[in-house]
Every structure is written in structure tokens, then in C-alpha cells.
Amino acid sequence: MSNESNQEFALPPTGAYKVDTAASKISFATRHLFGLGAVHGVFPIRSGTVQVTDPVAGSNVRVEIDAAGVNSANPGRDKKVRAKSLLDTANHPTIVFSAGVGEGSTLTGTLTVRDVTRPLTLQVRELSVQQGTFTARATTTVDRYEFGVLGMKGLAARMLDLTVEVHCTL
């Protein structure tokens, strides 16, 4: 894998890795109040697997995210995000990202939110490999409207910047 400056990442050894959910998270940044205020928060990861193959092009990733676990440090806002008009976590408690390894340092796959599946590409920014483990950080931007998350237009921004940080073990 290479990043945008063509620097090569050291790849983890082949094998079936499990995402360490206690050491992994998905952070988000967005805007609210007609774009005037910044909102930051996290979604916990429920489970995940990474299959590293040789050649690496056959590798794949699957991560399940706890939609109801959203935490923006504002319980009232988090309750609105979980409500039917946004994530509807009572009926759709899990968000799923599934991907294969793309060109260079990308993971190209699909994101499923509220039973709506759309293509999504993550750009790997960091990859640190140790004996039997690796840690990766990747980023992307998601348009919530593409997933039918249409509530609170104007009050809640359309776009979310995501940073995925996963620690994986054999």
C-alpha cells in the first residue's frame, strides 16, 4: 500500500485479524446550527474482521458499528441522532462497512446505514505493524442524505468527516 506521497506502508502478515473493539473507534466531525457550530463525537465499533491475503488485492474488511452508541458529549443531541428522523437506531442498530483493498492506500467497499447501501472509499493515512497486530487510521467523508438520513436539514450538516482507527490482532 502506498499513501498519497507514494510512501510505502509495511503490510501486516497474512492472516485473519480481529478488530480490538476496546482499542478502536470511529470519530466524526460535522457542523450544526446552519454551519456555525462544530460537532465532534465517536461511534463505538461492535465487531470487525480483517483478512490479509497474499496477494494483498484479495484482502477484505468488515466492521460493524454501534449506531446507538453515538457519543457527541451532548446527551440531548445524541438522543436526536438516535431518533427515527435520523439514524432510527431502534430499527437499525448497526452500521456496516465492508470492503476489499483498492488501489494504493484505499479501501473500496460499501457502507450500509438504515438498510441503505452505498459505495464508500476510505483513504488509509497510517498503518503501524507489530508482531501479531496492526493499527490503521483511515479517513473519508460521508453524505448522510445518500443514506436517507434527511432529518434536521439546516440544523444538522449534510456531510460528516470520519476518521476510523482500528487496532487488529491475530
Side-chain angles (χ1 to χ4, degrees):
M1 290 181 149
S2 63
N3 64 19
E4 292 174 346
S5 65
N6 292 325
Q7 177 183 353
E8 292 292 320
F9 288 125
L11 296 174
T14 60
Y17 291 81
K18 182 177 178 185
V19 173
D20 178 350
T21 58
S24 303
K25 66 181 176 181
I26 299 176
S27 303
F28 65 88
T30 190
R31 311 287 299 167
H32 74 116
L33 294 175
F34 305 99
L36 299 175
V39 176
H40 300 274
V42 296
F43 285 98
I45 295 175
R46 275 191 181 168
S47 65
T49 58
V50 178
Q51 181 69 44
V52 178
T53 62
D54 186 13
V56 74
S59 300
N60 61 70
V61 175
R62 179 177 168 84
V63 175
E64 293 188 1
I65 301 146
D66 181 5
V70 62
N71 183 349
S72 69
N74 181 321
R77 177 176 33 237
D78 297 343
K79 183 177 179 181
K80 289 177 185 175
V81 171
R82 288 189 283 273
K84 190 171 188 152
S85 65
L86 291 174
L87 291 181
D88 190 14
T89 61
N91 294 306
H92 309 283
T94 305
I95 297 169
V96 177
F97 176 69
S98 182
V101 174
E103 293 289 324
S105 60
T106 62
L107 297 175
T108 303
T110 59
L111 183 69
T112 302
V113 179
R114 293 176 50 130
D115 291 333
V116 176
T117 301
R118 297 284 183 261
L120 185 72
T121 299
L122 290 171
Q123 180 69 43
V124 178
R125 302 294 179 186
E126 296 175 25
L127 182 62
S128 172
V129 179
Q130 290 83 35
Q131 182 68 31
T133 70
F134 72 89
T135 301
R137 186 175 70 82
T139 59
T140 194
T141 299
V142 173
D143 179 346
R144 69 182 179 98
Y145 291 5
E146 289 184 6
F147 296 91
V149 182
L150 304 173
M152 300 182 70
K153 286 186 178 181
L155 292 176
R158 180 176 181 165
M159 308 303 279
L160 288 91
D161 294 323
L162 301 179
T163 300
V164 179
E165 297 174 62
V166 292
H167 181 73
C168 302
T169 58
L170 275 174

